[in-house]
Amino acid sequence: MGRLGASDLNANANANANANANANANASGGVSGFATNVRYNSQELAKLLNQGQFPSEQDPTYKTAQEAVNRVKFREYWDAELRASVYLNEFLTKNTGWVKELKKAIYEAGLKTENQGLYAQLQTHKGKQLRRVIEVSDEREERFLEIVDQNDGEGVIKYFLGMLMIDAAHAPATYQLIRVARRGGEVVGMCLKEEYHEARPSQVCPVIVPLLGPPVTPSFPAGHALQSHLIALCLAAEIGFNRPPNQSDMLKNLARRIAQNRVIAGLHYPLDNDAGEVAAEKCFELLNKKGSEFEKLLNAAREEGKQVATVPQVREI
């Protein structure tokens, strides 16, 4: 019997660590928060089935059993991230000119402050925008963990979930709204980025060294700004019931902070965020049409908001 060397021990330790990590990852659940646990020796359960409990087509009970299994349907709210595709498809098919409409909204938003659209403002004031990115970079140290935490969509979502104290199990419609906004905002943002093809700040100003990445996507409009503002708009439209009156404002403030963190990280111009916010507002308007599946989802989320938990009264001794 051979003796394990140090390299063998390390290899076994790494293998065990990887196995444990994979098991833990499966146990923690998928993106929607529902567990996808590994079940060991699952084939053994089939051996416990009595033959009479699974009738053949010749069995007189077959028809009844067939009708019973056909009555079973999948739950209404399945994987929220993937199910968001249903609402995204509705948005894309019912708003065939959405790219043009969002670009128009971004252009017209700029006319409120200057005699040109937001993208033209970015071109006109590029030097000023770059200086602003450099100026706010000194805030990186105090926001470091927050910026890293919000780098991906899952990190951003948990800030909204934490503010409202909701999850997929107890508020499935509201949670689905968040996922629709994240997934829809991502697709919208990528398509708009392709339209403008704007270089990242660090590409044109070598003294700007991004804290992260940068992502291999164009800069304008900012995807984090678009998605977080769309999430905030969806939630603000739902939280009218049994929520603090200032919660809508705080959702918007959270979205703006998430977006601002991307400027501080050296990944975006401030005007990228302005365009993302405008695009989110227009996107929500196009999503929330009368009779749409999105409107039905929003109404379902509102019904969830009406449900007030009964808190037992504290009795003094």
Side-chain angles (χ1 to χ4, degrees):
M1 189 173 189
R3 185 169 64 88
L4 289 174
S7 59
D8 295 319
L9 289 172
N10 289 335
N12 287 339
N14 289 334
N16 289 333
N18 290 334
N20 290 333
N22 291 333
N24 290 335
N26 283 323
S28 66
V31 293
S32 297
F34 294 108
T36 54
N37 298 342
V38 174
R39 294 170 178 84
Y40 300 99
N41 295 328
S42 54
Q43 75 281 358
E44 295 298 317
L45 192 62
K47 299 176 183 178
L48 303 178
L49 182 69
N50 293 327
Q51 190 170 1
Q53 292 176 311
F54 200 82
S56 66
E57 293 185 23
Q58 289 74 36
D59 194 296
T61 63
Y62 176 80
K63 183 178 179 181
T64 302
Q66 184 83 341
E67 291 173 350
V69 297
N70 283 336
R71 284 195 296 269
V72 179
K73 300 297 180 184
F74 209 79
R75 61 176 178 265
E76 180 179 4
Y77 294 103
W78 38 281
D79 188 299
E81 178 70 13
L82 298 178
R83 188 172 180 266
S85 301
V86 175
Y87 302 93
L88 176 59
N89 178 62
E90 179 182 58
F91 171 81
L92 295 174
T93 54
K94 290 190 175 182
N95 301 285
T96 54
W98 69 266
V99 174
K100 185 176 180 180
E101 290 192 57
L102 265 66
K103 289 180 69 175
K104 180 182 177 183
I106 291 171
Y107 172 76
E108 291 178 345
L111 299 181
K112 296 176 182 178
T113 56
E114 294 187 22
N115 192 30
Q116 54 183 346
L118 289 179
Y119 185 65
Q121 288 185 31
L122 178 58
Q123 307 306 301
T124 301
H125 306 297
K126 183 66 66 69
K128 183 178 179 180
Q129 289 283 298
L130 287 167
R131 285 195 298 273
R132 183 58 184 153
V133 175
I134 295 169
E135 288 168 1
V136 298
S137 65
D138 62 1
E139 298 181 41
R140 288 184 188 179
E141 185 174 354
E142 65 179 72
R143 296 203 190 191
F144 175 80
L145 293 177
E146 183 183 351
I147 291 171
V148 173
D149 202 25
Q150 295 170 351
N151 189 44
D152 61 13
E154 299 307 309
V156 167
I157 284 173
K158 76 178 182 181
Y159 281 79
F160 287 100
L161 295 178
M163 176 181 284
L164 300 182
M165 283 299 293
I166 58 175
D167 57 39
H170 298 97
T174 306
Y175 184 78
Q176 181 69 78
L177 267 181
I178 293 173
R179 289 291 174 177
V180 170
R182 193 220 69 79
R183 195 176 185 91
E186 179 181 57
V187 172
V188 168
M190 293 306 113
C191 291
L192 289 176
K193 286 174 182 290
E194 173 67 15
E195 290 289 313
Y196 295 102
H197 252 77
E198 179 60 36
R200 295 272 177 174
S202 57
Q203 286 182 265
V204 297
C205 185
V207 301
I208 296 175
V209 180
L211 176 63
L212 297 166
V216 190
T217 58
S219 190
F220 185 95
H224 271 62
L226 200 163
Q227 292 176 71
S228 58
H229 278 287
L230 189 52
I231 290 172
L233 286 166
C234 289
L235 291 174
E238 176 272 330
I239 62 173
F241 304 98
N242 308 315
R243 297 286 188 182
N246 65 341
Q247 197 146 60
S248 294
D249 290 338
M250 292 309 298
L251 285 165
K252 182 179 288 188
N253 288 337
L254 174 58
R256 285 180 175 166
R257 184 176 177 91
I258 290 169
Q260 176 63 8
N261 282 341
R262 304 295 282 180
V263 178
I264 292 171
L267 300 170
H268 279 292
Y269 304 100
L271 279 169
D272 291 349
N273 286 344
D274 294 344
E277 183 172 351
V278 171
E281 291 170 353
K282 187 63 180 180
C283 193
F284 180 76
E285 178 187 322
L286 295 176
L287 272 168
N288 192 25
K289 290 185 174 179
K290 189 172 181 61
S292 65
E293 290 301 313
F294 180 84
E295 184 190 45
K296 295 176 186 177
L297 176 62
L298 187 56
N299 288 334
R302 285 170 176 158
E303 287 300 315
E304 286 179 350
K306 290 180 181 179
Q307 298 173 10
V308 182
T310 302
V311 181
Q313 297 295 318
V314 177
R315 293 183 295 176
E316 295 184 5
I317 298 176

